[in-house]
């Protein structure tokens, strides 16, 4: 676990990517879009919210998938964070590829210095791996697994439209189990 550092200077942007928390597969729902969180996922999202608060993380813009598991993740994150995040819901984030996510990020308001994108894998993981040059323990951890409710924080010089492959620095990658060992992988 590393600390989240805000971007320094006006020319630098900070992008935080949050994967939705663990959803329930036991619930009989007709569509994947409607899958809710399970109890462990709710707890993990609250832990991540508290972590974001202790790190002083702040977001000028929040973009999120409207899938139920993302909506519920944000409710729990807000509970731990202690305030509303006011996301812009965009169906294009639902199960988006890294390329689609990058297009959406490039459309973010230039006045926003920090943004949070809440969505799904494999798009989030693939986006981090594309934006961050090879090497480094944090990137290796993302490549090994970007688990549910994990947060990646990247910075780069320039605006949202300037974001390119290999241009970002991965400042932090935090998994729920880094904060609470009981939120680690389930044992089968």
């Amino acid at each position: 676990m590393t600390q989240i550092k805000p971007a320094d200077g006006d020319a630098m942007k900070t992008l935080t990517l949050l994967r939705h928390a663990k959803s329930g597969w036991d619930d009989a729902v007709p569509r994947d879009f409607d899958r809710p969180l399970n109890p462990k996922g709710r707890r993990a999202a609250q832990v991540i919210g508290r972590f974001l608060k202790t790190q002083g993380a702040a977001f000028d813009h929040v973009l999120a998938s409207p899938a139920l598991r993302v909506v519920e993740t944000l409710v729990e994150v807000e509970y731990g964070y202690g305030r509303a995040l006011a996301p812009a819901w965009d169906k294009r984030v639902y199960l988006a590829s890294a390329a689609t996510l990058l297009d959406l990020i490039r459309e973010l308001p230039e006045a926003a210095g920090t943004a949070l994108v809440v969505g799904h894998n494999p798009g989030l993981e693939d986006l981090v791996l594309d934006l961050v040059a090879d090497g480094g323990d944090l990137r290796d951890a993302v490549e090994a697994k970007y688990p549910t409710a994990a947060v990646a924080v990247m910075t780069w010089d320039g605006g949202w439209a300037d974001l390119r492959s290999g241009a970002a620095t991965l400042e932090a990658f935090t998994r729920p189990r880094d904060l609470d060992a009981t939120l680690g992988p389930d044992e089968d």
Side-chain angles (χ1 to χ4, degrees), residues 63 90 92-93 96 99-108:
L63 178 65
D90 191 324
R92 296 175 295 172
V93 179
T100 298
L101 290 170
L102 184 56
D103 287 344
L104 293 170
I105 291 163
R106 288 177 177 154
E107 294 173 7
L108 291 174

Side-chain angles (χ1 to χ4, degrees), residues 17-171:
L17 301 178
L18 169 62
R19 184 177 175 200
H20 67 79
K22 192 164 187 58
S23 59
W25 287 93
D26 296 337
D27 296 320
V29 293
R31 301 181 313 160
D32 173 74
F33 189 86
D34 299 320
R35 246 182 324 114
L37 295 184
N38 69 20
K40 185 175 179 179
R42 290 184 186 284
R43 198 161 52 86
Q46 287 182 20
V47 165
I48 289 296
R50 284 192 296 277
F51 171 71
L52 293 172
K53 180 179 182 176
T54 64
Q55 296 299 302
F59 308 104
D60 300 322
H61 192 83
V62 179
L63 178 65
S65 162
L68 181 60
R69 59 191 177 274
V70 173
V71 172
E72 291 183 348
T73 295
L74 280 171
V75 166
E76 301 299 336
V77 166
E78 288 174 339
Y79 182 78
Y81 188 61
R83 63 181 174 180
L85 293 170
W89 305 105
D90 191 324
K91 198 161 190 174
R92 296 175 295 172
V93 179
Y94 176 64
L95 301 181
S97 67
T100 298
L101 290 170
L102 184 56
D103 287 344
L104 293 170
I105 291 163
R106 288 177 177 154
E107 294 173 7
L108 291 174
E110 200 52 42
T114 60
L116 171 65
V117 176
V118 189
H120 312 266
N121 251 5
L124 292 176
E125 178 179 328
D126 291 345
L127 182 62
V128 173
L129 297 177
D130 179 54
L131 295 178
V132 177
D134 288 341
D137 292 342
L138 289 177
R139 189 183 188 284
D140 290 348
V142 170
E143 191 167 19
K145 184 171 185 179
Y146 197 125
T148 53
V151 177
V153 180
M154 295 172 286
T155 59
W156 67 95
D157 289 320
W160 300 112
D162 300 322
L163 189 53
R164 301 277 181 265
S165 181
T169 299
L170 185 58
E171 302 287 354

